[in-house]
């Protein structure tokens, strides 16, 4: 069957679906915010309603930061950096969290890569140690690269190649953008990942996985002063990176006409997709649209 994709494009901005979002009442959340000397940005929120803490690190790297011949690297690293470090044996990263009664995961978008551990609050220091290991000296070894290459390929098969309407998002993004790196999705190209050598992976890690490119956020059953001391213990001595961090400066030219295509695939029912560019997130007009 087929799905038909319509793009009614006006002013440049981020792409959004036409789904309507319900209005929710804003709630003020108190937090403490500071930077370490190495550039790591920290946000702490104290909430004693449950004996849990969420330890999260957001790296400001997504698919938009990738080279055009190495797409998929940001998402690949989301997988690779669970392989271990100089002090965490291969395959044991998850075990530390699960044995402490916690859960962990990560995800990647066009703009960032996000890691988290949800732990009992008496295991806060464990979460900080794990994330400092990931940032300071993760293991970038060929055995891990080869293993995760197969994992990512299987993810692509499940989510895109063999999924009903799996090509909807990649097709829509490719139609929406001619110049901006939003034109490809975070899963990237398997051919690009196959072509990458060990030096490519090391360059990516040393460029983007540095304290000045990260935000550490912790919320839950914590004491702010004690948590700050622990953060300084595990992160203060991690050096800044020595490379310039690539930031895309491309502005997608405004379209003046509709873009339309019909794609025939294995899907059993037809589907109509409409997508529109909207103002950039963080601007006043963005919130008016939302």
């Amino acid at each position: 069957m087929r799905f038909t994709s319509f793009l009614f494009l006006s002013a440049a901005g981020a792409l959004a679906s036409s789904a309507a979002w319900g209005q929710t009442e804003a709630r003020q959340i108190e937090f403490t915010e500071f930077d370490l000397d190495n550039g790591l940005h920290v946000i702490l929120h104290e909430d004693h309603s449950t004996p849990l803490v969420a330890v999260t690190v957001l790296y400001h790297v997504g698919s938009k930061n990738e080279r055009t011949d190495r797409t998929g690297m940001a998402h690949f690293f989301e997988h690779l950096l669970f392989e271990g470090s100089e002090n965490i044996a291969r395959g044991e990263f998850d075990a530390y969290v699960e044995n402490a009664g916690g859960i962990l995961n990560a995800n990647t978008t066009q703009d960032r890569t996000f890691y988290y551990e949800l732990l009992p609050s008496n295991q806060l220091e464990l979460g900080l140690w794990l994330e400092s290991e990931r940032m300071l000296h993760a293991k970038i070894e060929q055995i891990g690269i080869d293993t995760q290459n197969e994992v990512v390929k299987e993810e692509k098969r499940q989510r895109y190649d063999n999924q009903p309407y799996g090509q909807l998002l990649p097709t829509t993004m490719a139609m929406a953008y001619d110049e901006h790196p939003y034109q490809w999705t975070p899963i990237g190209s398997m051919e690009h990942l196959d072509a990458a050598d060990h030096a490519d992976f090391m360059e990516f890690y040393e460029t983007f996985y540095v304290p000045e490119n990260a935000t550490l956020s912790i919320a839950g059953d914590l004491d702010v002063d004690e948590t700050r001391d622990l953060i300084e213990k595990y992160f203060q001595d991690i050096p800044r990176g020595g490379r310039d961090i690539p930031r895309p400066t491309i502005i997608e030219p405004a379209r003046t006409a509709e873009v339309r295509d019909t794609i025939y695939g294995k899907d059993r029912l037809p589907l109509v997709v409409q997508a529109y560019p909207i103002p950039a997130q963080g601007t006043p007009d963005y919130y008016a649209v939302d």
Side-chain angles (χ1 to χ4, degrees):
M1 296 298 289
R2 63 192 174 95
F3 69 84
T4 303
S5 183
F6 299 93
L7 295 180
F8 301 100
L9 299 166
S10 54
L15 201 67
S17 71
S18 57
W21 295 91
Q23 297 296 316
T24 57
E25 183 178 352
R27 184 166 67 92
Q28 194 70 27
I29 297 177
E30 296 182 359
F31 59 91
T32 300
E33 193 171 16
F34 59 91
D35 292 334
L36 298 185
D37 292 340
N38 58 12
L40 178 66
H41 188 59
V42 180
I43 302 172
L44 304 178
H45 169 60
E46 190 169 344
D47 179 354
H48 300 289
S49 57
T50 59
L52 299 171
V53 288
V55 179
T56 77
V57 180
L58 183 149
Y59 290 91
H60 300 276
V61 54
S63 57
K64 72 177 182 183
N65 303 96
E66 297 163 345
R67 288 164 37 188
T68 56
D69 63 344
R70 290 293 182 268
T71 64
M73 290 287 280
H75 171 254
F76 191 91
F77 264 81
E78 174 204 320
H79 289 260
L80 184 62
L81 294 191
F82 285 97
E83 281 283 321
S85 73
E86 290 186 10
N87 296 306
I88 301 173
R90 184 168 182 262
E92 291 190 2
F93 199 105
D94 291 14
Y96 275 102
V97 175
E98 292 165 356
N99 290 342
I103 59 174
L104 72 167
N105 213 328
N107 56 72
T108 308
T109 71
Q110 287 86 351
D111 299 307
R112 88 294 181 279
T113 308
F114 182 73
Y115 301 86
Y116 72 85
E117 293 85 30
L118 181 62
L119 291 158
S121 54
N122 62 359
Q123 297 296 320
L124 169 61
E125 189 167 1
L126 171 65
L128 293 173
W129 174 67
L130 289 169
E131 289 301 339
S132 68
E133 286 290 306
R134 196 195 313 267
M135 183 183 295
L136 179 59
H137 41 218
K139 282 286 184 71
I140 313 297
E141 297 179 325
Q142 196 60 48
I143 185 174
I145 293 170
D146 293 342
T147 299
Q148 296 307 323
N149 196 317
E150 293 305 314
V151 171
V152 170
K153 287 179 179 177
E154 181 60 24
E155 179 179 343
K156 182 176 183 294
R157 285 190 285 266
Q158 290 183 0
R159 292 192 174 185
Y160 295 93
D161 300 343
N162 300 320
Q163 181 78 9
Y165 311 109
Q167 295 305 309
L168 187 155
L169 181 60
T171 300
T172 302
M173 300 303 286
M175 290 173 61
Y177 295 98
D178 289 330
E179 298 184 17
H180 196 277
Y182 282 171
Q183 64 188 266
W184 61 82
T185 55
I187 198 71
S189 164
M190 300 304 101
E191 290 76 16
H192 291 174
L193 294 177
D194 285 341
D197 59 21
H198 187 264
D200 290 325
F201 290 102
M202 287 303 302
E203 179 184 14
F204 194 92
Y205 179 66
E206 292 171 356
T207 299
F208 294 107
Y209 280 82
V210 291
E212 68 269 30
N213 196 46
T215 298
L216 169 65
S217 300
I218 308 172
D221 182 28
L222 58 86
D223 177 272
V224 169
D225 292 334
E226 292 177 0
T227 302
R228 183 166 188 156
D229 290 342
L230 288 173
I231 291 169
E232 291 176 352
K233 173 183 176 180
Y234 286 102
F235 289 91
Q236 182 67 62
D237 293 334
I238 298 177
R240 285 176 173 264
R243 303 170 184 262
D244 291 333
I245 299 175
R247 307 289 187 201
T249 58
I250 298 170
I251 298 176
E252 182 71 22
R255 294 189 186 271
T256 58
E258 172 189 306
V259 177
R260 180 188 295 230
D261 197 6
T262 301
I263 295 92
Y264 294 88
K266 301 176 182 179
D267 310 296
R268 298 180 62 85
L269 296 173
L271 176 68
V272 176
V273 178
Q274 296 179 332
Y276 306 83
I278 63 172
Q281 187 173 4
T283 62
D285 287 343
Y286 171 84
Y287 298 103
V289 171
D290 189 43

